[in-house]
Amino acid sequence: MRSTTAIFSTLLIASLFVYSGCGNGGNGSGAIGTSSAAEKVYVAPGEYDSYYEFFSGGFSGQVTVHGLPSGRLLKIIPVFSVDAETGYGFNEETKPMLMTTYGFIPWDDAHHPKLSQTNGVHDGKFLFINGNNTPRIARIDLRYFETTEIIQIPNSGGCHASPYPTQNTEYLVAATRFSVPTPQEDVPLDQESYKKNFKGTFTFITGGEEPGNMDIAFQILVPGYDYDKTHSGKGVSHGWSFFTSYNVEQANTLKEKNASQYDKDYIAAVNWKKAEEYIKQGKFHEWPSEYYHNYYDEKTQTATATKKKGVKVLIPSECPGIVYYLPTPKSPHGVDVDPTGKFIVGSGKLSADLTVHSFEKMLAAIEAENFDEVIDGIPVLNFDAIHAGTVSSGGLGPLHTEFDGRGHGYTSFFISSEVVKWSLDNFEVVDRIPAYYSIGHLSIPGGGSMKPWENGKYLIAMNKITKDRYLPTGPELAHSAQLYDISGDKMELLLDFPTMGEPHYAQGILASVIKDSQVKFYKLEENEHPHKALNENETRIERNGNEVHIYMTMIRSHFAPDNIEGIKVGDKVYFHVTNLEQDWDVPHGLAVMGARTSEILVMPGQTETLVWEPQAEGVYPFYCTDFCSALHQEMQGYVRVSPKNSNVKIKWSLDDEVHEL
């Protein structure tokens, strides 16, 4: 076994070589210098991109949508973060989406967007993404490109290994990145306590197929390692999910050194169909866990936050056959399953090679009980018995692998900053190309499914370092995505484009799969919002103590009402605003001077609510924030605010029509 010092010396030298030797003047195989590259990414004015590519926003808590091959930014979707552009998390309708057992949490670290699947193929219905910090999984409805559901995950610390769906989106799967006392309790932070009290969980969430039904089906309690990435089986391996682990040493401090001592860590193979059998037999423990399920109903256009209690927990020592450990060198990060489901690829980030396990051999080893040891009821399979082959790459820092559907895997190498293409037939490297710089994830549209689109036409590299790729913008630069053409024998770098936040992963889908299913406006007759006003005759103002509810409409180019009196200092004013437009791409905004939230952006046919609490008497303007017509500037109004104890009556008007409460 190599010493930790030797490993890190090698990585440091490699890093210095990469950063000193790569740049715009690096080796020509990665440079853009031909008109053919420009032609391949050119999308003429008025033409559509061939693909939607969904990028995680990392620490922004968002998802961004780019078109491929142009790289153009099409949409920013707020998920785990408040968003001043749309009012998400600010307006009364969406605030419940960010509720947790810790309270209102308006941020998270969004890592892995994953598309829903039917028969192992991306169906274009939903996108799911994890919140790594406060363990959560969110659903984005791709009819609206809006976040419509979030489920919190209890008994977990960190939610990195998620939300990888099974072949028919039967489950979204997740794992503990940071093992914690499970259930939580106050324990010492020392080595003895860590090994005794800290545990991990694998979580299986149902309801991914239909909106509003996400819930925790069951959890599996496992040893207190750090579980890093996931991939669910497909084809022959359907019914299994795979999780990488590091820190099998169970170190509790300075993990960069102490969690890298062993030559091998584990990939956990979970037989979730067997787990379902144990659940039906009642062989589970009911833990009194609390978690939130938040759901945005498109009919009422309002979210609800529901606290749920109780989780079914399976213990491997009591339920034989649900978990096995596959030894994998060294500190494996990514685990990826090829389109056939026959091979499980482990990327040991402190190894120069890729380890490929055979699912068929794994089943044979289980049948023969070819175990090296048993840990907390989990058999450790013999490495040689399950090993299909090794990709000896010559690179450093392998992280993730995707597939082109033509018999090739493509692996990102963080330290040597490159993409390596290799054959699934003989595990030999057939091509490699630089990435600029420090590539993390990579994405082939459809490459994580059973059907990569167009047999792998494009590959996206998501790089951590961007220096010298774009015009400088101070100490921090936008992260870089790079587009490669992988349709031929040799990979070709086509395009750099900046991304938002830190894009950990992305998934792409042919635009034709979802383009025509887009909802272009909300039908007014289907609006079930409890505070809607479907025409100007329904506009009104109601007072209930110090609460004032204004039922307002907006249409090009005025508000109704546009003059409001009788509001007092100390009132809590609710603007319930309905956009009466019934045309595509005609939202209206509402901003009120002094409001301590964002504006709201109301889609055609939709109702949203802005809360305003005036602090001092005066006359306060409000206006439309989204340019909607030639008379957009005229779309405005006033609110008169009187002293707290005044006798000014509620009055509202539009043109010459005056109403009084």
Side-chain angles (χ1 to χ4, degrees), residues 40 406 455-458 485-490:
K40 288 179 180 180
R406 290 177 279 115
N455 284 323
K457 185 175 182 179
Y458 297 119
D485 181 346
I486 60 169
S487 59
D489 292 336
K490 294 292 184 180

Side-chain angles (χ1 to χ4, degrees), residues 50-52 54 115 122-124 445 453 507-511 513-514:
S50 301
Y51 288 90
Y52 292 101
F54 300 93
L115 290 156
H122 294 153
D123 55 30
W453 300 105
Q507 279 208 320
I509 188 170
L510 275 175
V513 179
I514 61 176

Side-chain angles (χ1 to χ4, degrees), residues 32-42 492 494:
I32 300 176
T34 66
S35 61
S36 63
E39 290 170 359
K40 288 179 180 180
V41 302
Y42 180 69
E492 179 187 6
L494 301 179

Side-chain angles (χ1 to χ4, degrees), residues 106-409:
W107 174 86
D108 218 310
D109 186 15
H111 275 230
H112 305 125
K114 300 295 290 186
L115 290 156
S116 56
Q117 297 185 34
T118 301
N119 296 324
V121 178
H122 294 153
D123 55 30
K125 295 179 180 178
F126 309 112
L127 184 77
F128 303 96
I129 191 164
N130 60 318
N132 187 33
N133 183 59
T134 303
R136 290 177 277 184
I137 290 176
R139 178 205 306 271
I140 295 168
D141 192 319
L142 293 178
R143 293 173 298 170
Y144 307 92
F145 278 58
E146 291 181 348
T147 304
T148 58
E149 195 166 3
I150 296 178
I151 188 88
Q152 185 183 356
I153 301 176
N155 305 316
S156 182
C159 184
H160 192 249
S162 67
Y164 296 78
T166 55
Q167 182 172 298
N168 292 294
T169 321
E170 299 98 334
Y171 293 105
L172 305 170
V173 300
T176 301
R177 177 182 174 186
F178 314 113
S179 288
V180 292
T182 308
Q184 276 282 16
E185 59 179 328
D186 177 18
V187 299
L189 291 175
D190 57 46
Q191 185 69 53
E192 181 181 355
S193 173
Y194 191 96
K195 291 188 174 182
K196 176 183 177 183
N197 297 306
F198 285 57
K199 299 293 182 181
T201 53
F202 300 147
T203 302
F204 287 75
I205 295 169
T206 53
E209 306 99 314
E210 290 296 331
N213 296 306
M214 288 170 63
D215 204 354
I216 295 172
F218 59 88
Q219 294 184 312
I220 301 173
L221 190 70
V222 289
Y225 309 149
D226 293 78
Y227 296 91
D228 202 7
K229 286 298 301 304
T230 311
H231 203 109
S232 291
K234 60 194 75 164
V236 295
S237 55
H238 177 52
W240 292 75
S241 292
F242 304 93
F243 303 82
T244 55
S245 69
Y246 62 98
N247 193 28
V248 172
E249 298 85 349
Q250 293 185 282
N252 70 308
T253 184
L254 199 60
K255 290 190 178 182
E256 66 171 339
K257 178 183 73 172
N258 296 323
S260 303
Q261 299 298 311
Y262 296 167
D263 284 335
K264 294 183 178 67
D265 293 272
Y266 300 129
I267 291 173
V270 177
N271 186 341
W272 53 260
K273 287 190 176 180
K274 175 72 92 173
E276 288 178 331
E277 295 175 9
Y278 284 120
I279 293 292
K280 289 179 181 178
Q281 295 167 17
K283 294 186 177 180
F284 58 84
H285 299 261
E286 188 77 33
W287 282 7
S289 310
E290 293 187 344
Y291 58 100
Y292 266 88
H293 173 245
N294 307 328
Y295 175 57
Y296 182 86
D297 188 328
E298 292 290 351
K299 290 184 178 180
T300 63
Q301 300 169 10
T302 302
T304 54
T306 304
K307 183 185 282 189
K308 312 197 82 167
K309 297 184 178 182
V311 175
K312 296 178 176 65
V313 177
L314 298 173
I315 311 294
S317 60
E318 301 172 0
C319 303
I322 60 172
V323 185
Y324 298 90
Y325 280 143
L326 317 182
T328 305
K330 180 175 195 297
S331 295
H333 181 57
V335 55
D336 299 284
V337 180
D338 82 296
T340 68
K342 295 179 180 179
F343 296 117
I344 304 131
V345 182
S347 298
K349 58 182 180 285
L350 298 183
S351 170
D353 301 327
L354 303 177
T355 299
V356 184
H357 296 305
S358 163
F359 180 74
E360 182 181 1
K361 288 186 175 183
M362 184 195 85
L363 293 182
I366 292 170
E367 179 69 23
E369 298 187 359
N370 195 345
F371 309 149
D372 288 343
E373 59 178 317
V374 177
I375 302 172
D376 291 356
I378 301 174
V380 179
L381 303 182
N382 178 268
F383 177 80
D384 292 330
I386 61 175
H387 185 221
T390 297
V391 181
S392 299
S393 66
L396 289 172
L399 295 183
H400 304 283
T401 299
E402 294 229 335
F403 306 91
D404 62 10
R406 290 177 279 115
H408 301 107

Side-chain angles (χ1 to χ4, degrees), residues 338-583:
D338 82 296
T340 68
K342 295 179 180 179
F343 296 117
I344 304 131
V345 182
S347 298
K349 58 182 180 285
L350 298 183
S351 170
D353 301 327
L354 303 177
T355 299
V356 184
H357 296 305
S358 163
F359 180 74
E360 182 181 1
K361 288 186 175 183
M362 184 195 85
L363 293 182
I366 292 170
E367 179 69 23
E369 298 187 359
N370 195 345
F371 309 149
D372 288 343
E373 59 178 317
V374 177
I375 302 172
D376 291 356
I378 301 174
V380 179
L381 303 182
N382 178 268
F383 177 80
D384 292 330
I386 61 175
H387 185 221
T390 297
V391 181
S392 299
S393 66
L396 289 172
L399 295 183
H400 304 283
T401 299
E402 294 229 335
F403 306 91
D404 62 10
R406 290 177 279 115
H408 301 107
Y410 298 74
T411 302
S412 58
F413 282 77
F414 179 80
I415 300 298
S416 50
S417 287
E418 60 182 333
V419 177
V420 173
K421 176 182 177 181
W422 51 275
S423 170
L424 281 160
D425 291 330
N426 54 23
F427 309 126
E428 292 184 357
V429 172
V430 295
D431 192 25
R432 61 199 322 137
I433 194 169
Y436 303 98
Y437 307 95
S438 297
I439 178 177
H441 277 279
L442 75 177
S443 169
I444 295 171
S449 72
M450 294 181 69
K451 182 184 175 183
W453 300 105
E454 299 185 309
N455 284 323
K457 185 175 182 179
Y458 297 119
L459 180 147
I460 308 291
M462 283 150 277
N463 307 328
K464 306 302 183 185
I465 307 296
T466 319
K467 59 178 110 182
D468 81 23
R469 302 305 289 180
Y470 309 129
L471 285 171
T473 55
E476 186 187 19
L477 305 178
H479 286 241
S480 172
Q482 295 186 303
L483 178 69
Y484 295 82
D485 181 346
I486 60 169
S487 59
D489 292 336
K490 294 292 184 180
M491 295 178 279
E492 179 187 6
L493 177 60
L494 301 179
L495 180 69
D496 283 14
F497 58 95
T499 60
M500 294 189 65
E502 182 187 357
H504 292 268
Y505 183 55
Q507 279 208 320
I509 188 170
L510 275 175
S512 58
V513 179
I514 61 176
K515 177 175 65 68
D516 294 336
S517 66
Q518 299 304 289
V519 171
K520 297 182 177 179
F521 59 86
Y522 295 84
K523 295 179 180 179
L524 280 171
E525 63 269 22
E526 296 178 0
N527 185 331
E528 297 181 13
H529 193 289
H531 300 298
K532 63 184 180 293
L534 299 183
N535 56 65
E536 291 184 2
N537 292 329
E538 295 182 7
T539 61
R540 63 196 185 278
I541 300 178
E542 298 174 355
R543 176 180 283 280
N544 181 15
N546 71 331
E547 281 191 5
V548 178
H549 293 263
I550 301 172
Y551 297 83
M552 178 180 283
T553 62
M554 44 179 32
I555 195 167
R556 287 170 286 187
S557 293
H558 65 269
F559 294 95
D562 62 6
N563 283 288
I564 299 166
E565 300 183 53
I567 306 301
K568 302 175 186 179
V569 173
D571 283 344
K572 190 170 187 178
V573 182
Y574 293 81
F575 288 86
H576 306 294
V577 190
T578 302
N579 182 345
L580 298 181
E581 306 283 358
Q582 292 288 268
D583 193 8

